[in-house]
Amino acid sequence: MIARVRLDLQLRKEFDYLIPPELADEVGVGTRVKVPFGPRHSMGCVIDLVETSPHTNLRPITKVVGCQALVTPKILQLARWIAEYYCCSLELALKSVLPEAVRKEEAGWRERLFVRALPVVGELPKLTKRQQEVWNIIEEWRELPLQELLKLADTTAETVRRLEDRGLVSIAPQISERDPYANETILPTQSLTMNPEQADALAKIIAAMNEPNLERGMANAELPKDKAALASPNSAFAIPHSTFLLHGVTGSGKTEVYLQAIAHALKQGKGAVVLVPEISLTPQTVERFKARFSSGAVQTLVAVLHSHLSAGERHDEWHKIRQGRARIVIGARSAIFAPIDPLGLIIVDEEHEHSYKQEEAPRYHARDVAVMRGQMENTVVVLGSATPSMESFYNAKKGKYALLEMPTRADNKKMPIVRVVDMRQEARKEKGTPIFSPKLKEAITQRLERKEQTMLFLNRRGYSTSLQCPKCGYVAGCPNCSVSLTYHRPTQKICCHICGFDAPAPSVCPEPNCRNTAIRYAGLGTQKVEDILGKLFPHARVTRMDSDTLRRKEDYRRILTDFRTGKIDILLGTQMIAKGLHFPNVTLVGIIYADLSLHIPDFRAGERTFQLLTQVAGRAGRGDVEGEVIVQAFTPFHPAIQYARRHDFAGFYEQEIEFRKQLKYPPFSRAALLTLKGRNEDKVKFSAEHLRKELEKLSESKVQSPKSKGAPHDATLDLGQRTLDLIIAGPAPAPLLRAETFYRHQIMLRTRQMSKLSHLLAKLVETLKLPEDISLVVDIDPVNLA
């Protein structure tokens, strides 16, 4: 037999290798192998087995990595689709489906010395008092790691070796798995009684899980031969009742629906994947799943996959899944590739979250990959959110997804009262822009007096957003990016939040002809708010939670535990406190500046602001006391803020969808963003204009409104027998023109047939000739236009 191998070198081609007889039983599709390539060796993945090859003098495979195929056939199929749809090489897609710790040639298991008690024949030999104490511990445990024994017995390895010499114990290396939650004590929980809305949602999900296959309700429908057409969430071929959109307000009990649906999957002998945004993957979230399934009489191993794990922990968690020991996986976007087989349920919590989109190649969206995997593996997919994305809700309205509504909070708790404060009026009253309005200050004071907790939200870290000289107008800017530097007071540095550049904060204006000592800091961030809170409420226990304070992986858990146990009165943070947290004693949420994200150059700005405000507001009033939310804004009458104030998703959707329809933005089209990057701005601009001409060459031009250079252009692309309606906008400088020393120009494409456009762009990328120092990035379904 001959193995067809894709190497890790991104050569976009397959290579044939002979399978030596001694490795014949070990090599299969998905096996990781080490093969000779030129004068050296390279790692790769077997993607096919064939009997003949057009090539002669084939070289044999050198080594098989791992005891079993690391990439399952189903995951390999998914990787092929990702490569095709997201315009990347299959090698890159395969790299994404396997964690780096698993891809390595050498096994990543950790070995530790274990002490094991041996059967005692006859009488126990005479021992010293110290040896007897150590033996008593060993006899009780029967087996434990040597280092743990030394701690428990407060002894040395020499004492334990003496017991080994006497034949009482054996000391030998064993594989010791790293469990990130090994030291946690998690109390088991039981299923909760559901309200009618929860019970109805669960019944419909379980009914779908009990169906024998995904073609239910479509027996006579003709499915597309093109797999990519199935994948698009906007596809006309999306199969009803295999994908559910669970739209439940904050606190409506969506997690309990997830837990009981997973329990049903386990009864069917299947596993489940639960995707949670990285920012919401709190210890609290993980504990709820482990308490239900990994504790008590019946235990199911829950594996956790996310970026805060060490490489060793990620290695061990992944192998628990591959070996079939862990049946439930909870994790961030990469957990969608967890090799659970058979798979019974995929849950995407907070499905609207933009962090599900990968920002580097392959630029996949985990929500869309989840829908595709569900269709490939005949698996039910549940997308849950209090503020669904426009695309998902549109699909539900069109019948492509089944819509499940939970419009009230569990246990009949009320939604919080939301009050909007017009900061323009406050600025006029105080002759300057205050950080805290009198209404918010008074509300915080009341909570402190009543021993209730407050959460304050500002999605901007640092102390001040810019450093300016009022005399000459100098602004401290990043030498690598088109942004001003942010002042960080604890370190006395000015930093760039794009590329990471930092420098000592100057005490005088750096301009040689100015040297003004009255240089000042403008704007505010979480550090400044924390500083002012300390002055306004000197007796309050205030903690700030942003990426500057969370340096170690246990910091997140420590702060949230302190907040839950009442050791913190006021928790101040960025968007990481906005989602996934449940604290019954939080009765006040204050949003410092609600319209920070409203005025960015992105058609989704209103949607993001509405989602963020609704999610943050949802942290309040989850206990017995009704919650209150105070929103401070300079544009208080913006629809996103007003609809969030009324918790009115349907109203916001109706006005937003009309705007999208008029401009042919998603969900009425799909978008692709082509970004050209280089260190010479003129070259980048020229290359972008050249790229547009290449796109237009492929089309039978039907220009509708060529009013100016770079204006949107409607064209019909010729794809053999297929035609593709396309809107071309650009080239134009990116909103952030320069980032990490690279100038960037963009072209945006919009179409209703993305799988066809992806096919075209993949060919174009291969044949397009650009200067050596200019690179092209293709982002299908972008969520960040900066």
Side-chain angles (χ1 to χ4, degrees):
M1 291 292 288
I2 293 161
R4 200 148 276 168
V5 177
R6 283 274 184 158
L7 303 179
D8 291 352
L9 303 175
Q10 290 195 52
L11 300 173
R12 291 181 178 265
K13 60 188 295 187
E14 297 156 5
F15 296 89
D16 291 350
Y17 287 91
L18 285 173
I19 302 175
E22 64 272 17
L23 298 180
D25 294 336
E26 298 178 50
V27 177
V29 172
T31 305
R32 290 278 292 170
V33 291
K34 185 178 183 181
V35 294
F37 188 72
R40 57 199 174 98
H41 281 78
S42 177
M43 299 292 294
C45 180
V46 177
I47 62 164
D48 200 6
L49 297 176
V50 294
E51 293 186 1
T52 59
S53 170
H55 308 286
T56 56
N57 300 321
L58 296 182
R59 300 168 79 179
I61 291 171
T62 305
K63 180 183 178 183
V64 171
V65 178
C67 303
Q68 61 187 142
L70 298 183
V71 183
T72 65
K74 291 172 181 175
I75 296 296
L76 178 59
Q77 183 188 10
L78 192 63
R80 286 184 188 277
W81 173 78
I82 286 173
E84 184 180 334
Y85 184 74
Y86 289 102
C87 290
C88 70
S89 64
L90 180 57
E91 293 92 333
L92 207 54
L94 287 169
K95 227 173 181 179
S96 282
V97 304
L98 285 180
E100 188 179 354
V102 176
R103 291 199 308 269
K104 290 180 179 175
E105 179 184 349
E106 298 302 324
W109 298 106
R110 177 182 67 172
E111 284 197 343
R112 297 172 73 188
L113 289 174
F114 273 72
V115 180
R116 185 164 59 89
L118 297 175
V120 179
V121 181
E123 287 188 14
L124 193 70
K126 192 172 181 181
L127 302 174
T128 66
K129 185 182 176 185
R130 194 78 193 95
Q131 289 171 351
Q132 185 67 49
E133 289 171 354
V134 175
W135 167 248
N136 290 342
I137 294 171
I138 297 170
E139 196 174 30
E140 182 184 344
W141 284 73
R142 304 307 299 171
E143 185 177 56
L144 76 166
L146 175 61
Q147 289 303 315
E148 286 187 24
L149 173 62
L150 299 184
K151 280 183 188 175
L152 282 170
D154 192 21
T155 188
T156 62
E158 185 61 31
T159 306
V160 184
R161 291 287 181 194
R162 294 266 170 83
L163 295 175
E164 184 184 32
D165 293 342
R166 291 178 169 240
L168 294 175
V169 302
S170 68
I171 303 175
Q174 285 184 32
I175 287 175
S176 173
E177 289 189 344
R178 290 149 289 203
D179 182 354
Y181 296 88
N183 298 322
E184 294 290 314
T185 303
I186 299 174
L187 299 175
T189 62
Q190 302 301 318
S191 296
L192 303 177
T193 304
M194 291 185 159
N195 64 27
E197 292 167 3
Q198 290 173 304
D200 182 59
L202 179 65
K204 288 175 179 173
I205 292 168
I206 287 177
M209 293 169 71
N210 290 337
E211 288 287 336
N213 56 50
L214 237 55
E215 283 75 18
R216 45 189 165 267
M218 289 195 68
N220 301 319
E222 186 179 339
L223 294 174
K225 294 176 183 175
D226 181 6
K227 281 275 186 191
L230 267 172
S232 161
N234 285 328
S235 164
F237 297 99
I239 301 171
H241 312 308
S242 61
T243 302
F244 291 90
L245 177 61
L246 180 58
H247 177 214
V249 298
T250 55
S252 60
K254 294 186 289 294
T255 304
E256 186 62 30
V257 175
Y258 301 157
L259 290 167
Q260 296 197 28
I262 291 169
H264 186 75
L266 295 176
K267 281 180 189 172
Q268 293 179 316
K270 298 177 180 179
V273 172
V274 182
L275 296 190
V276 184
E278 185 78 52
I279 217 161
S280 298
L281 195 59
T282 62
Q284 193 178 50
T285 308
V286 175
E287 282 166 17
R288 290 186 72 176
F289 285 85
K290 282 185 170 281
R292 185 65 59 90
F293 298 110
S294 292
S295 306
V298 181
Q299 296 194 5
T300 302
L301 200 60
V302 177
V304 183
L305 294 173
H306 59 82
S307 64
H308 293 300
L309 300 181
S310 67
E313 287 170 342
R314 201 174 295 122
H315 171 277
D316 293 359
E317 292 289 290
W318 190 90
H319 278 285
K320 286 176 196 171
I321 303 162
R322 182 67 187 96
Q323 293 165 5
R325 291 184 288 137
R327 305 300 300 141
I328 301 167
V329 179
I330 178 169
R333 60 177 174 258
S334 60
I336 191 55
F337 304 118
I340 282 193
D341 193 24
L343 181 60
L345 182 66
I346 301 173
I347 291 166
V348 184
D349 192 28
E350 309 290 6
E351 65 84 26
H352 65 277
E353 260 294 313
H354 296 101
S355 61
Y356 282 128
K357 175 74 171 176
Q358 175 105 334
E359 290 299 325
E360 58 274 340
R363 291 173 170 78
Y364 65 88
H365 198 301
R367 178 197 62 211
D368 296 349
V369 174
V371 172
M372 187 60 191
R373 185 174 180 185
Q375 291 172 4
M376 285 179 171
E377 298 194 32
N378 293 347
T379 297
V380 169
V381 180
V382 178
L383 312 177
S385 178
T387 53
S389 65
M390 300 299 288
E391 290 84 353
S392 294
F393 202 74
Y394 179 79
N395 286 337
K397 286 286 188 184
K398 291 290 180 184
K400 295 169 189 172
Y401 299 165
L403 180 61
L404 306 173
E405 297 268 22
M406 299 199 320
T408 57
R409 281 189 159 182
D411 300 328
N412 296 316
K413 289 186 172 62
K414 291 182 181 177
M415 295 298 289
I417 297 166
V418 181
R419 308 184 198 281
V420 179
V421 177
D422 188 342
M423 293 302 282
R424 297 170 301 179
Q425 292 184 12
E426 299 300 324
R428 283 194 290 270
K429 287 178 196 171
E430 301 203 13
K431 296 178 182 177
T433 306
I435 293 175
F436 293 98
S437 63
K439 191 173 279 186
L440 181 54
K441 277 192 277 191
E442 177 60 28
I444 294 172
T445 303
Q446 289 174 1
R447 271 40 180 212
L448 291 172
E449 289 170 355
R450 299 202 298 244
K451 305 293 185 191
E452 294 169 0
Q453 291 173 302
T454 299
M455 293 176 80
L456 296 177
F457 171 79
L458 176 67
N459 206 20
R460 184 184 277 166
R461 61 192 179 94
Y463 190 88
S464 297
T465 49
S466 64
L467 183 147
Q468 300 173 347
C469 174
K471 188 176 176 183
C472 71
Y474 167 84
V475 176
C478 176
N480 306 320
C481 310
S482 306
V483 293
S484 60
L485 295 171
T486 301
Y487 172 53
H488 286 247
R489 193 169 178 179
T491 56
Q492 286 294 311
K493 286 186 174 179
I494 45 177
C495 309
C496 175
H497 291 169
I498 303 295
C499 70
F501 170 85
D502 64 40
S507 55
V508 297
C509 177
E511 284 292 329
N513 298 328
C514 181
R515 310 302 288 174
N516 177 24
T517 55
I519 193 163
R520 66 185 183 86
Y521 301 98
L524 83 155
T526 48
Q527 290 177 6
K528 190 171 184 178
V529 175
E530 181 186 30
D531 191 38
I532 291 168
L533 278 170
K535 292 171 183 173
L536 289 174
F537 309 103
H539 301 297
R541 296 165 296 177
V542 180
T543 298
R544 175 167 55 89
M545 192 167 169
D546 56 30
S547 55
D548 295 319
T549 59
L550 305 181
R551 293 297 182 189
R552 297 188 300 272
K553 66 179 181 179
E554 65 271 13
D555 287 344
Y556 206 163
R557 185 179 305 178
R558 176 181 54 79
I559 292 174
L560 292 180
T561 301
D562 287 349
F563 193 55
R564 186 191 308 160
T565 54
K567 294 178 184 176
I568 297 169
D569 297 318
I570 302 172
L571 181 64
L572 163 69
T574 53
Q575 62 180 357
M576 60 179 61
I577 69 166
K579 307 166 194 79
L581 301 178
H582 177 83
F583 297 113
N585 199 37
V586 173
T587 59
L588 174 67
V589 168
I591 300 170
I592 307 295
Y593 289 158
D595 33 20
L596 278 180
S597 58
L598 262 183
H599 309 299
I600 57 173
D602 190 325
F603 70 90
R604 289 192 178 95
E607 179 187 5
R608 287 184 184 178
T609 301
F610 173 82
Q611 290 167 343
L612 199 52
L613 295 185
T614 305
Q615 293 287 343
V616 177
R619 301 312 106 207
R622 285 171 167 255
D624 297 329
V625 181
E626 189 174 0
E628 182 182 10
V629 181
I630 294 178
V631 178
Q632 300 184 158
F634 290 94
T635 51
F637 301 107
H638 191 283
I641 293 174
Q642 286 299 315
Y643 283 117
R645 181 178 72 84
R646 297 194 294 268
H647 309 287
D648 183 6
F649 174 81
F652 175 77
Y653 172 82
E654 291 302 330
Q655 69 90 31
E656 182 73 11
I657 206 75
E658 191 56 40
F659 145 69
R660 302 280 184 94
K661 186 177 182 180
Q662 287 175 9
L663 297 177
K664 295 184 181 176
Y665 277 127
F668 296 97
S669 67
R670 309 302 297 277
L673 190 65
L674 312 185
T675 305
L676 289 122
K677 299 161 67 175
R679 289 196 167 94
N680 184 312
E681 187 178 5
D682 290 334
K683 265 191 189 180
V684 173
K685 188 178 178 183
F686 173 79
S687 299
E689 288 166 354
H690 170 65
L691 175 58
R692 174 163 180 137
K693 287 172 185 171
E694 290 297 309
L695 284 166
E696 289 175 348
K697 270 185 198 174
L698 294 166
S699 67
E700 302 163 5
S701 278
K702 296 199 303 186
V703 182
Q704 287 188 345
S705 54
K707 294 173 186 173
S708 63
K709 192 175 186 181
H713 161 99
D714 281 15
T716 302
L717 293 184
D718 184 6
L719 294 168
Q721 299 300 311
R722 302 174 294 176
T723 58
L724 175 68
D725 292 325
L726 185 69
I727 300 171
I728 306 173
L736 183 64
L737 173 61
R738 193 161 176 254
E740 299 176 325
T741 73
F742 290 97
Y743 289 96
R744 307 170 325 139
H745 281 239
Q746 297 175 334
I747 295 175
M748 181 182 263
L749 308 176
R750 278 172 281 157
T751 181
R752 291 189 299 274
Q753 300 156 295
M754 184 52 78
S755 56
K756 294 179 182 178
L757 179 60
S758 295
H759 180 73
L760 171 90
L761 289 175
K763 287 187 174 180
L764 185 63
V765 168
E766 283 186 33
T767 57
L768 186 68
K769 292 181 180 176
L770 292 171
E772 282 187 10
D773 53 348
I774 302 295
S775 61
L776 171 62
V777 173
V778 178
D779 189 0
I780 305 296
D781 301 329
V783 299
N784 183 8
L785 303 184

